[in-house]
Structure formats: C-alpha cells, structure tokens
Amino acid sequence: MPIHPLPQFEADLKEYEQEKADRETYERLKIPSTIVVRYGVMKMIGEFPYDGDAKPGCGSKIVVRTFRGVEIGEMLTSTCPNAGCSKSVTRQEMLEYIENSGGRQYPFSVKGKAMRVATKEDMDRQARIEQSKHALKTDARERARRLAPKVKIVELEPILSMDRITAYFTSEEKVDVVALQRDLQAHHKVHVEMRQVGARDEARLTADYERCGQYCCCKNFLKVLKPVSMRSAKVQKATLDPLKISGRCGRLMCCLRYEDETYETLRKRLPKRKKKVGTPDGDGIVVDTQILTQLVLVELDGTRQRVAVPVEELTDPTGRTAEDAAREKAQAERERQQAERAEAAASTSPADGSTSTRKRRRRRRKGGAKPEGSSPNAPSQSSTGDGPPEPKKDAGRPPEGEGGSETAGAARRKRRRRRRRRGPGGGQGGGQDGGGGGGGSEGPPSGDS
C-alpha cells in the first residue's frame, strides 16, 4: 500500500527545518561589540559598546547608560560585521545616513554604554513608570498654572533609574521657569530638566496618525524638523486650504519637502499660462498645466475648443519645432556678427581716394565740411552776429571734393545742425541782433560781440 504525504505534515516539517536552520545560523553568529540604540521620547539615536553575553537582535530592548542616566532603549542594528541580528551595517554607512539626514543637527550620541539586554524585571519597572506619567503630568500642569501661567506642560519623561525627570513645555514667548523647576525638584526629590519645544516637537510627542493613515513623520522617522516654505505648497497643491496642507502641529506638512525638487524640475518643462503655443490640432493659448502628468490644456484659436496636449507635442505657434527655432536663432546670431565685422572694416578703410571717414567725422564735429577753396581760418557766416545765414540752393548737394560719397542722410543731418545753430526760433531771415524769427525769444549771439 503506497504512502501518500499529507499537506499538513509536510508544512509542519518545512517549518521545523526552517527553525532548525535559523537556530544553527544564530549559534554561528558572534556577539556584537557595538550596537545602535534608539531611546527616549524624542527618539534619540546612540551608538554604544556592548560586552554582554547575550546576542541581541533588531528590536530587542536594551538597558543603556546615557548622558541622562540609566534608561531602556530599542536596538536598531549593529555596526560590526557578522553581528547578532545578521542585518548589521558598517559604521561608514551609518555616518553617511546621519550626514544626509541632518548632519550636526541629527540627535546622535556615542557617549554611553549598552549594559545588558532588558530582563523581565526591567520591563515591569518601565511599565510602572509609564503608568505613573499621567499623574506626574497632571500635577506638573497644576503647579505651572500657579507659578508660570504662560507655560504649557506637554510631556514628562522619567527614566528607568528615576534620578532625572525631563519636562517638555511650550510657550508663545520666552519665560522664566526657574521657580517652577525648583518646585518640581522639591516635590519629586530628583533633578528636573526643563526643555522648551516648538509646535513640531509638540506634535512629535503627542500626535499619532496623520490623514494619510500613517504615523506622523516627525514621530516615526524624522529626526531633524526643517522649516517648510509656502512656495513648496503652491507648486505641489492645487489648493492652499490650510486644512489640507497643514499637519497635526498646525504648520505646513513636512512631506511637502520630500518631492519639492522633483516638482520644481517638472514645472520648468511646462509653458507658462497665456502663452501662445502650437499643437497638432492648431495654434492656441495655454490655459492650465498639470505637473505630474505633464499635460497642457490649450484653447485653440479658431474653434475655442480646449484640448489636453502632452508637453512633448507642443511646438512654436508657426508650426516650428524647438529645434527649428534654435537653428534660426543661431543663424540670426551669425548674420549679426558678420554685419558687425563688415561695419568695423568699413570704418577703418577710407571712403574715397582723398578723405577718410575719420577725417570727415572730425570736420563735422568742428562745424561741418568746408567747401573747396575756402580758408580754414575764415569765420563762418553764422559767427558774424548778423543773424542766421541764408540757406543755399545747393545745400543738400555733396561737396565737390568728396565726389558724391555722402548720402542723403548725411545731408539731412547737416541741415539739422544748421537749424540748431540759427537759434531757438529756427526761422529763416532773422531780424536784427538775432531776435527776428525767433518766436520772441532772445538768445546770445553765436559770433564774437
């Protein structure tokens, strides 16, 4: 008669073999020499040496001696290879994590020692301390109401050795709590430390779950609570309702900082609103954008229809792509540089066989070009003081010496200079003493008196 294995027996056998393999693996592991412990209500982190006989694993309760006294902490990992939990990390990895999580602001300490794995007596004593915290906190609030009305006691933390109590309080302004501290020390006969915290630390001490269904980040894993700017909320949220962007502490939610860099990178790829863009359905104006989906809502020019277009399909309003626009811009820049080089070459070369451009400019600054045959020291007609000169019929013609090289624009500039030299009136045929045709305005004569 054949023997058929039953499924339940096979499952039990696999579980037994797995437990046996784990037991053998645990026996081969060495005792860790240093372990990383989390302790206190503020979830501080410490790396302490350990010389006990037991092999603690991740999550084990450890009795540690810190700068505050003897208290109970929770083992996170070990920093030596082949440690008791078989999930150890190197010290370099731990220091890099601390540096990326806040650096010097990270609550990390190495001044202490892991004494032993917590026994049943240690856990029972810690449970009694936790049960007495409510009565201690109520009494402290009553004393604060009498001695320091502006102080709000948030939490009291006695440690396992009961030789220190830490009182966390909040206040809108800086207050003197020396009287309250002395009263608490006289009542409990132990050292009392008063620590003022902010709104985010208050949420870390008292809050539990957020609207996302998870533990508050400040209570779960965040150690450094950096400020969050309103700019992050404007970029990531479609609404700025305080009830939707604020956490349990009443401040902006810490998770707004997690994806701020990603949102900023995606936002730069989108066009601005009311910008003219081209789409496969025609040109239109940007109405709205979505950062995560990278979609652009465009209102078409002809039909006023609104279509959602991916940002990769957008082009210039003329149908050009971004590559075409870049090529045209580069071509225009090259043409501009060529024009500048040609103009510079023309300014350094002579305009004709006898007179250069630089000499003509010098003559114009001195008072205009002189016709051939005239003495350079002869006074001009406008400097005689007898009124403005009569305009010549051939004033707009180029001088004979220049061979017609001056353009019509140069002639117009000469006429404007002559009108400015005539005076404020600007009329022809001025009266005696330079007063005629000036519109009643009297000015100093242009020549020698």
Side-chain angles (χ1 to χ4, degrees), residues 243-299:
L243 298 178
K244 295 183 179 181
I245 63 176
S246 300
R248 295 288 296 270
C249 57
R251 306 293 195 269
L252 292 176
M253 292 188 294
C254 295
C255 55
L256 290 175
R257 290 194 297 110
Y258 298 161
E259 301 175 356
D260 184 49
E261 184 177 354
T262 303
Y263 270 88
E264 189 65 25
T265 303
L266 294 176
R267 186 181 65 85
K268 291 180 180 179
R269 299 180 56 189
L270 299 174
K272 296 182 179 180
R273 295 186 180 183
K274 299 184 179 180
K275 181 182 179 180
K276 192 82 170 180
V277 295
T279 67
D281 299 329
D283 296 346
I285 298 177
V286 176
V287 178
D288 197 3
T289 57
Q290 291 184 358
I291 296 180
L292 291 180
T293 59
Q294 291 288 283
L295 292 177
V296 181
L297 185 62
V298 181
E299 183 177 320

Short mmCIF file of all heavy atoms in Angstrom, two decimals, residues 243-299:
data_model
loop_
_atom_site.label_atom_id
_atom_site.label_comp_id
_atom_site.label_asym_id
_atom_site.label_seq_id
_atom_site.Cartn_x
_atom_site.Cartn_y
_atom_site.Cartn_z
N LEU A 243 -6.48 73.65 5.94
CA LEU A 243 -6.86 72.36 6.48
C LEU A 243 -6.28 71.20 5.68
O LEU A 243 -6.15 70.09 6.20
CB LEU A 243 -8.39 72.24 6.52
CG LEU A 243 -9.12 73.25 7.41
CD1 LEU A 243 -10.63 73.05 7.32
CD2 LEU A 243 -8.66 73.11 8.86
N LYS A 244 -5.90 71.46 4.42
CA LYS A 244 -5.40 70.39 3.56
C LYS A 244 -3.89 70.36 3.46
O LYS A 244 -3.32 69.35 3.03
CB LYS A 244 -6.01 70.52 2.16
CG LYS A 244 -7.52 70.32 2.15
CD LYS A 244 -8.07 70.40 0.73
CE LYS A 244 -9.57 70.16 0.72
NZ LYS A 244 -10.13 70.22 -0.65
N ILE A 245 -3.23 71.45 3.78
CA ILE A 245 -1.77 71.48 3.66
C ILE A 245 -1.09 71.58 5.01
O ILE A 245 0.14 71.68 5.05
CB ILE A 245 -1.34 72.66 2.76
CG1 ILE A 245 -1.73 73.99 3.40
CG2 ILE A 245 -1.90 72.53 1.38
CD1 ILE A 245 -1.26 75.20 2.62
N SER A 246 -1.85 71.54 6.10
CA SER A 246 -1.26 71.63 7.44
C SER A 246 -1.33 70.27 8.12
O SER A 246 -2.26 69.49 7.90
CB SER A 246 -2.00 72.67 8.30
OG SER A 246 -1.92 73.95 7.69
N GLY A 247 -0.33 70.00 8.97
CA GLY A 247 -0.28 68.75 9.70
C GLY A 247 -0.89 68.87 11.08
O GLY A 247 -1.59 69.84 11.41
N ARG A 248 -0.60 67.90 11.93
CA ARG A 248 -1.15 67.89 13.28
C ARG A 248 -0.60 69.03 14.13
O ARG A 248 -1.23 69.43 15.12
CB ARG A 248 -0.83 66.55 13.95
CG ARG A 248 -1.49 65.35 13.30
CD ARG A 248 -2.99 65.35 13.58
NE ARG A 248 -3.25 65.20 14.99
CZ ARG A 248 -3.41 64.05 15.61
NH1 ARG A 248 -3.30 62.91 14.93
NH2 ARG A 248 -3.67 63.99 16.90
N CYS A 249 0.55 69.54 13.75
CA CYS A 249 1.15 70.62 14.52
C CYS A 249 0.61 71.98 14.12
O CYS A 249 0.94 72.99 14.76
CB CYS A 249 2.67 70.62 14.31
SG CYS A 249 3.18 70.75 12.60
N GLY A 250 -0.22 72.06 13.08
CA GLY A 250 -0.73 73.34 12.62
C GLY A 250 0.19 74.04 11.64
O GLY A 250 -0.15 75.09 11.11
N ARG A 251 1.35 73.48 11.38
CA ARG A 251 2.29 74.04 10.40
C ARG A 251 2.16 73.28 9.08
O ARG A 251 1.42 72.31 8.98
CB ARG A 251 3.73 73.93 10.92
CG ARG A 251 3.96 74.55 12.28
CD ARG A 251 3.80 76.05 12.24
NE ARG A 251 4.34 76.69 13.43
CZ ARG A 251 3.66 76.95 14.53
NH1 ARG A 251 2.40 76.57 14.62
NH2 ARG A 251 4.23 77.56 15.56
N LEU A 252 2.88 73.77 8.06
CA LEU A 252 2.87 73.07 6.78
C LEU A 252 3.44 71.67 6.94
O LEU A 252 4.39 71.45 7.69
CB LEU A 252 3.70 73.86 5.75
CG LEU A 252 3.14 75.20 5.31
CD1 LEU A 252 4.11 75.90 4.37
CD2 LEU A 252 1.80 75.04 4.63
N MET A 253 2.86 70.72 6.23
CA MET A 253 3.24 69.32 6.38
C MET A 253 4.70 69.11 5.96
O MET A 253 5.16 69.66 4.96
CB MET A 253 2.32 68.43 5.54
CG MET A 253 0.90 68.39 6.05
SD MET A 253 -0.12 67.16 5.20
CE MET A 253 -0.17 67.86 3.56
N CYS A 254 5.41 68.29 6.73
CA CYS A 254 6.82 68.02 6.44
C CYS A 254 7.00 67.29 5.12
O CYS A 254 8.04 67.42 4.47
CB CYS A 254 7.43 67.20 7.57
SG CYS A 254 7.51 68.06 9.16
N CYS A 255 5.99 66.52 4.70
CA CYS A 255 6.15 65.74 3.47
C CYS A 255 6.18 66.62 2.23
O CYS A 255 6.48 66.12 1.13
CB CYS A 255 5.03 64.71 3.35
SG CYS A 255 3.37 65.42 3.44
N LEU A 256 5.88 67.91 2.36
CA LEU A 256 5.98 68.80 1.20
C LEU A 256 7.43 68.95 0.74
O LEU A 256 7.68 69.32 -0.42
CB LEU A 256 5.40 70.18 1.55
CG LEU A 256 3.88 70.24 1.74
CD1 LEU A 256 3.47 71.63 2.20
CD2 LEU A 256 3.16 69.89 0.45
N ARG A 257 8.39 68.67 1.63
CA ARG A 257 9.80 68.80 1.24
C ARG A 257 10.32 67.57 0.51
O ARG A 257 11.38 67.64 -0.12
CB ARG A 257 10.67 69.03 2.48
CG ARG A 257 10.48 70.36 3.13
CD ARG A 257 11.58 70.65 4.13
NE ARG A 257 11.59 69.71 5.23
CZ ARG A 257 12.52 68.79 5.42
NH1 ARG A 257 13.51 68.67 4.57
NH2 ARG A 257 12.47 67.98 6.46
N TYR A 258 9.60 66.45 0.58
CA TYR A 258 10.15 65.21 0.03
C TYR A 258 10.30 65.29 -1.49
O TYR A 258 11.32 64.86 -2.03
CB TYR A 258 9.25 64.03 0.39
CG TYR A 258 9.11 63.77 1.87
CD1 TYR A 258 8.08 63.03 2.39
CD2 TYR A 258 10.03 64.30 2.77
CE1 TYR A 258 7.95 62.79 3.74
CE2 TYR A 258 9.91 64.08 4.13
CZ TYR A 258 8.87 63.33 4.61
OH TYR A 258 8.75 63.10 5.95
N GLU A 259 9.28 65.79 -2.18
CA GLU A 259 9.28 65.79 -3.64
C GLU A 259 9.39 67.19 -4.22
O GLU A 259 9.03 67.43 -5.36
CB GLU A 259 8.00 65.12 -4.15
CG GLU A 259 7.83 63.68 -3.69
CD GLU A 259 6.51 63.08 -4.12
OE1 GLU A 259 5.72 63.83 -4.72
OE2 GLU A 259 6.28 61.89 -3.88
N ASP A 260 9.88 68.12 -3.41
CA ASP A 260 9.94 69.51 -3.88
C ASP A 260 10.88 69.64 -5.08
O ASP A 260 10.56 70.34 -6.06
CB ASP A 260 10.40 70.41 -2.73
CG ASP A 260 10.38 71.88 -3.11
OD1 ASP A 260 9.36 72.33 -3.65
OD2 ASP A 260 11.38 72.57 -2.89
N GLU A 261 12.02 68.99 -5.04
CA GLU A 261 12.98 69.09 -6.15
C GLU A 261 12.41 68.48 -7.43
O GLU A 261 12.59 69.02 -8.52
CB GLU A 261 14.28 68.39 -5.76
CG GLU A 261 15.38 68.52 -6.79
CD GLU A 261 16.67 67.87 -6.34
OE1 GLU A 261 16.73 67.43 -5.17
OE2 GLU A 261 17.62 67.81 -7.14
N THR A 262 11.70 67.34 -7.30
CA THR A 262 11.11 66.72 -8.48
C THR A 262 10.03 67.60 -9.09
O THR A 262 9.95 67.77 -10.31
CB THR A 262 10.52 65.34 -8.10
OG1 THR A 262 11.55 64.54 -7.54
CG2 THR A 262 9.93 64.67 -9.31
N TYR A 263 9.18 68.18 -8.24
CA TYR A 263 8.14 69.07 -8.74
C TYR A 263 8.74 70.28 -9.44
O TYR A 263 8.24 70.73 -10.49
CB TYR A 263 7.25 69.53 -7.59
CG TYR A 263 6.07 68.63 -7.32
CD1 TYR A 263 6.17 67.54 -6.46
CD2 TYR A 263 4.84 68.87 -7.91
CE1 TYR A 263 5.10 66.71 -6.21
CE2 TYR A 263 3.75 68.04 -7.66
CZ TYR A 263 3.89 66.97 -6.81
OH TYR A 263 2.82 66.16 -6.57
N GLU A 264 9.81 70.82 -8.89
CA GLU A 264 10.43 72.00 -9.48
C GLU A 264 11.03 71.67 -10.86
O GLU A 264 10.92 72.47 -11.80
CB GLU A 264 11.52 72.54 -8.55
CG GLU A 264 12.08 73.89 -8.95
CD GLU A 264 11.06 75.00 -8.87
OE1 GLU A 264 10.10 74.88 -8.09
OE2 GLU A 264 11.22 75.99 -9.60
N THR A 265 11.64 70.49 -10.99
CA THR A 265 12.20 70.10 -12.28
C THR A 265 11.11 69.89 -13.33
O THR A 265 11.25 70.32 -14.49
CB THR A 265 13.02 68.80 -12.12
OG1 THR A 265 14.03 69.02 -11.13
CG2 THR A 265 13.67 68.40 -13.42
N LEU A 266 10.01 69.25 -12.95
CA LEU A 266 8.92 69.03 -13.90
C LEU A 266 8.21 70.34 -14.25
O LEU A 266 7.73 70.51 -15.38
CB LEU A 266 7.92 68.04 -13.31
CG LEU A 266 8.44 66.61 -13.10
CD1 LEU A 266 7.37 65.76 -12.42
CD2 LEU A 266 8.86 65.98 -14.42
N ARG A 267 8.13 71.26 -13.29
CA ARG A 267 7.43 72.52 -13.56
C ARG A 267 8.18 73.36 -14.59
O ARG A 267 7.55 74.08 -15.39
CB ARG A 267 7.28 73.30 -12.26
CG ARG A 267 6.44 74.56 -12.38
CD ARG A 267 6.38 75.27 -11.04
NE ARG A 267 7.69 75.74 -10.64
CZ ARG A 267 8.22 76.89 -11.04
NH1 ARG A 267 7.55 77.70 -11.85
NH2 ARG A 267 9.41 77.25 -10.62
N LYS A 268 9.50 73.30 -14.60
CA LYS A 268 10.27 74.10 -15.54
C LYS A 268 10.07 73.64 -16.98
O LYS A 268 10.32 74.41 -17.92
CB LYS A 268 11.75 74.04 -15.18
CG LYS A 268 12.09 74.77 -13.88
CD LYS A 268 13.57 74.68 -13.57
CE LYS A 268 13.90 75.42 -12.29
NZ LYS A 268 15.36 75.33 -11.96
N ARG A 269 9.61 72.40 -17.19
CA ARG A 269 9.38 71.91 -18.54
C ARG A 269 8.07 72.42 -19.13
O ARG A 269 7.88 72.35 -20.34
CB ARG A 269 9.38 70.38 -18.54
CG ARG A 269 10.69 69.75 -18.09
CD ARG A 269 10.59 68.24 -18.13
NE ARG A 269 10.22 67.77 -19.46
CZ ARG A 269 9.89 66.52 -19.74
NH1 ARG A 269 9.90 65.61 -18.77
NH2 ARG A 269 9.56 66.16 -20.96
N LEU A 270 7.16 72.88 -18.29
CA LEU A 270 5.84 73.30 -18.76
C LEU A 270 5.85 74.77 -19.16
O LEU A 270 6.55 75.58 -18.56
CB LEU A 270 4.80 73.08 -17.66
CG LEU A 270 4.61 71.63 -17.20
CD1 LEU A 270 3.65 71.59 -16.03
CD2 LEU A 270 4.07 70.77 -18.34
N PRO A 271 5.07 75.14 -20.19
CA PRO A 271 4.99 76.56 -20.57
C PRO A 271 4.13 77.34 -19.59
O PRO A 271 3.31 76.76 -18.85
CB PRO A 271 4.33 76.50 -21.96
CG PRO A 271 3.51 75.24 -21.93
CD PRO A 271 4.28 74.28 -21.08
N LYS A 272 4.30 78.63 -19.57
CA LYS A 272 3.51 79.48 -18.69
C LYS A 272 2.11 79.68 -19.25
O LYS A 272 1.87 79.51 -20.45
CB LYS A 272 4.21 80.82 -18.50
CG LYS A 272 5.56 80.72 -17.81
CD LYS A 272 6.17 82.09 -17.61
CE LYS A 272 7.52 81.99 -16.90
NZ LYS A 272 8.13 83.31 -16.70
N ARG A 273 1.21 80.09 -18.38
CA ARG A 273 -0.16 80.34 -18.82
C ARG A 273 -0.23 81.58 -19.71
O ARG A 273 0.58 82.48 -19.61
CB ARG A 273 -1.07 80.52 -17.60
CG ARG A 273 -1.20 79.26 -16.75
CD ARG A 273 -2.22 79.45 -15.65
NE ARG A 273 -2.35 78.24 -14.82
CZ ARG A 273 -3.21 78.11 -13.82
NH1 ARG A 273 -4.02 79.10 -13.51
NH2 ARG A 273 -3.25 76.99 -13.12
N LYS A 274 -1.23 81.56 -20.62
CA LYS A 274 -1.48 82.63 -21.59
C LYS A 274 -0.36 82.75 -22.62
O LYS A 274 -0.22 83.79 -23.26
CB LYS A 274 -1.70 83.98 -20.89
CG LYS A 274 -2.89 84.00 -19.95
CD LYS A 274 -3.10 85.39 -19.36
CE LYS A 274 -4.31 85.41 -18.44
NZ LYS A 274 -4.53 86.75 -17.86
N LYS A 275 0.43 81.70 -22.77
CA LYS A 275 1.47 81.71 -23.79
C LYS A 275 0.95 81.06 -25.05
O LYS A 275 0.19 80.09 -25.02
CB LYS A 275 2.70 80.94 -23.28
CG LYS A 275 3.84 80.93 -24.28
CD LYS A 275 5.03 80.13 -23.76
CE LYS A 275 6.15 80.11 -24.78
NZ LYS A 275 7.32 79.33 -24.30
N LYS A 276 1.36 81.60 -26.20
CA LYS A 276 0.95 81.09 -27.49
C LYS A 276 1.80 79.88 -27.84
O LYS A 276 3.04 79.95 -27.84
CB LYS A 276 1.13 82.17 -28.55
CG LYS A 276 0.47 81.86 -29.88
CD LYS A 276 -1.00 82.21 -29.85
CE LYS A 276 -1.57 82.12 -31.28
NZ LYS A 276 -3.01 82.45 -31.29
N VAL A 277 1.15 78.74 -28.13
CA VAL A 277 1.86 77.52 -28.47
C VAL A 277 1.19 76.88 -29.68
O VAL A 277 0.07 77.22 -30.06
CB VAL A 277 1.87 76.52 -27.29
CG1 VAL A 277 2.64 77.07 -26.11
CG2 VAL A 277 0.45 76.16 -26.88
N GLY A 278 1.92 75.96 -30.28
CA GLY A 278 1.39 75.20 -31.39
C GLY A 278 1.12 73.76 -30.99
O GLY A 278 1.90 73.15 -30.25
N THR A 279 0.02 73.19 -31.46
CA THR A 279 -0.36 71.82 -31.15
C THR A 279 -0.65 71.09 -32.46
O THR A 279 -0.76 71.71 -33.53
CB THR A 279 -1.62 71.79 -30.26
OG1 THR A 279 -2.73 72.30 -31.01
CG2 THR A 279 -1.42 72.66 -29.03
N PRO A 280 -0.79 69.76 -32.43
CA PRO A 280 -1.18 69.03 -33.65
C PRO A 280 -2.53 69.45 -34.19
O PRO A 280 -2.80 69.28 -35.38
CB PRO A 280 -1.19 67.56 -33.19
CG PRO A 280 -0.23 67.52 -32.04
CD PRO A 280 -0.37 68.84 -31.36
N ASP A 281 -3.41 70.04 -33.36
CA ASP A 281 -4.73 70.49 -33.81
C ASP A 281 -4.74 71.96 -34.20
O ASP A 281 -5.80 72.47 -34.61
CB ASP A 281 -5.77 70.25 -32.70
CG ASP A 281 -5.89 68.79 -32.35
OD1 ASP A 281 -5.69 67.95 -33.25
OD2 ASP A 281 -6.16 68.47 -31.17
N GLY A 282 -3.65 72.66 -34.06
CA GLY A 282 -3.60 74.07 -34.40
C GLY A 282 -2.99 74.89 -33.27
O GLY A 282 -2.70 74.37 -32.19
N ASP A 283 -2.83 76.18 -33.54
CA ASP A 283 -2.28 77.07 -32.53
C ASP A 283 -3.32 77.41 -31.49
O ASP A 283 -4.53 77.37 -31.73
CB ASP A 283 -1.77 78.36 -33.19
CG ASP A 283 -0.62 78.08 -34.15
OD1 ASP A 283 -0.07 76.96 -34.08
OD2 ASP A 283 -0.28 78.96 -34.96
N GLY A 284 -2.83 77.76 -30.29
CA GLY A 284 -3.74 78.12 -29.20
C GLY A 284 -2.99 78.76 -28.06
O GLY A 284 -1.79 79.03 -28.14
N ILE A 285 -3.73 79.02 -26.98
CA ILE A 285 -3.20 79.68 -25.79
C ILE A 285 -3.28 78.70 -24.62
O ILE A 285 -4.28 78.00 -24.44
CB ILE A 285 -3.98 80.97 -25.48
CG1 ILE A 285 -3.84 81.95 -26.64
CG2 ILE A 285 -3.50 81.61 -24.19
CD1 ILE A 285 -4.65 83.22 -26.46
N VAL A 286 -2.20 78.68 -23.82
CA VAL A 286 -2.15 77.78 -22.66
C VAL A 286 -3.13 78.28 -21.60
O VAL A 286 -3.08 79.45 -21.18
CB VAL A 286 -0.72 77.71 -22.10
CG1 VAL A 286 -0.68 76.86 -20.85
CG2 VAL A 286 0.23 77.16 -23.15
N VAL A 287 -3.99 77.39 -21.16
CA VAL A 287 -4.98 77.72 -20.13
C VAL A 287 -4.56 77.18 -18.77
O VAL A 287 -4.64 77.86 -17.76
CB VAL A 287 -6.37 77.18 -20.52
CG1 VAL A 287 -7.40 77.47 -19.42
CG2 VAL A 287 -6.82 77.79 -21.85
N ASP A 288 -4.09 75.95 -18.73
CA ASP A 288 -3.71 75.33 -17.46
C ASP A 288 -2.68 74.23 -17.74
O ASP A 288 -2.52 73.78 -18.88
CB ASP A 288 -4.94 74.73 -16.77
CG ASP A 288 -4.69 74.45 -15.29
OD1 ASP A 288 -3.58 74.79 -14.82
OD2 ASP A 288 -5.58 73.90 -14.62
N THR A 289 -1.97 73.82 -16.68
CA THR A 289 -0.96 72.77 -16.79
C THR A 289 -1.08 71.82 -15.60
O THR A 289 -1.59 72.19 -14.55
CB THR A 289 0.47 73.36 -16.82
OG1 THR A 289 0.67 74.15 -15.65
CG2 THR A 289 0.67 74.21 -18.06
N GLN A 290 -0.59 70.60 -15.79
CA GLN A 290 -0.52 69.60 -14.72
C GLN A 290 0.92 69.12 -14.62
O GLN A 290 1.49 68.63 -15.60
CB GLN A 290 -1.46 68.43 -15.00
CG GLN A 290 -2.94 68.78 -14.91
CD GLN A 290 -3.83 67.58 -15.11
OE1 GLN A 290 -3.34 66.47 -15.36
NE2 GLN A 290 -5.13 67.78 -15.00
N ILE A 291 1.49 69.25 -13.43
CA ILE A 291 2.91 68.97 -13.26
C ILE A 291 3.21 67.48 -13.36
O ILE A 291 4.11 67.06 -14.09
CB ILE A 291 3.40 69.55 -11.92
CG1 ILE A 291 3.26 71.07 -11.92
CG2 ILE A 291 4.85 69.17 -11.67
CD1 ILE A 291 3.70 71.73 -10.65
N LEU A 292 2.47 66.65 -12.62
CA LEU A 292 2.80 65.23 -12.58
C LEU A 292 2.51 64.54 -13.90
O LEU A 292 3.31 63.72 -14.37
CB LEU A 292 2.02 64.56 -11.45
CG LEU A 292 2.43 64.96 -10.02
CD1 LEU A 292 1.59 64.21 -9.01
CD2 LEU A 292 3.90 64.67 -9.79
N THR A 293 1.39 64.82 -14.53
CA THR A 293 1.06 64.19 -15.81
C THR A 293 1.73 64.85 -16.99
O THR A 293 1.72 64.29 -18.09
CB THR A 293 -0.46 64.20 -16.02
OG1 THR A 293 -0.92 65.57 -16.02
CG2 THR A 293 -1.17 63.43 -14.92
N GLN A 294 2.33 66.03 -16.80
CA GLN A 294 3.00 66.76 -17.88
C GLN A 294 2.05 67.02 -19.05
O GLN A 294 2.41 66.89 -20.22
CB GLN A 294 4.24 66.01 -18.35
CG GLN A 294 5.36 65.97 -17.32
CD GLN A 294 6.04 67.31 -17.15
OE1 GLN A 294 6.85 67.72 -17.97
NE2 GLN A 294 5.70 68.01 -16.09
N LEU A 295 0.80 67.39 -18.73
CA LEU A 295 -0.20 67.75 -19.73
C LEU A 295 -0.44 69.25 -19.71
O LEU A 295 -0.39 69.88 -18.65
CB LEU A 295 -1.51 67.01 -19.48
CG LEU A 295 -1.50 65.49 -19.69
CD1 LEU A 295 -2.85 64.90 -19.34
CD2 LEU A 295 -1.13 65.15 -21.13
N VAL A 296 -0.75 69.80 -20.89
CA VAL A 296 -1.01 71.23 -21.04
C VAL A 296 -2.39 71.39 -21.66
O VAL A 296 -2.68 70.81 -22.70
CB VAL A 296 0.06 71.89 -21.94
CG1 VAL A 296 -0.21 73.38 -22.06
CG2 VAL A 296 1.46 71.66 -21.38
N LEU A 297 -3.25 72.16 -21.00
CA LEU A 297 -4.58 72.44 -21.52
C LEU A 297 -4.51 73.69 -22.40
O LEU A 297 -4.15 74.77 -21.93
CB LEU A 297 -5.56 72.65 -20.36
CG LEU A 297 -7.04 72.84 -20.75
CD1 LEU A 297 -7.56 71.60 -21.45
CD2 LEU A 297 -7.88 73.17 -19.51
N VAL A 298 -4.82 73.53 -23.68
CA VAL A 298 -4.68 74.59 -24.68
C VAL A 298 -6.05 74.91 -25.25
O VAL A 298 -6.82 74.01 -25.60
CB VAL A 298 -3.71 74.17 -25.80
CG1 VAL A 298 -3.55 75.29 -26.82
CG2 VAL A 298 -2.35 73.79 -25.22
N GLU A 299 -6.35 76.21 -25.35
CA GLU A 299 -7.58 76.68 -26.00
C GLU A 299 -7.24 77.09 -27.43
O GLU A 299 -6.49 78.04 -27.67
CB GLU A 299 -8.17 77.86 -25.23
CG GLU A 299 -9.49 78.35 -25.81
CD GLU A 299 -10.09 79.47 -25.00
OE1 GLU A 299 -10.01 79.41 -23.75
OE2 GLU A 299 -10.62 80.41 -25.60
#
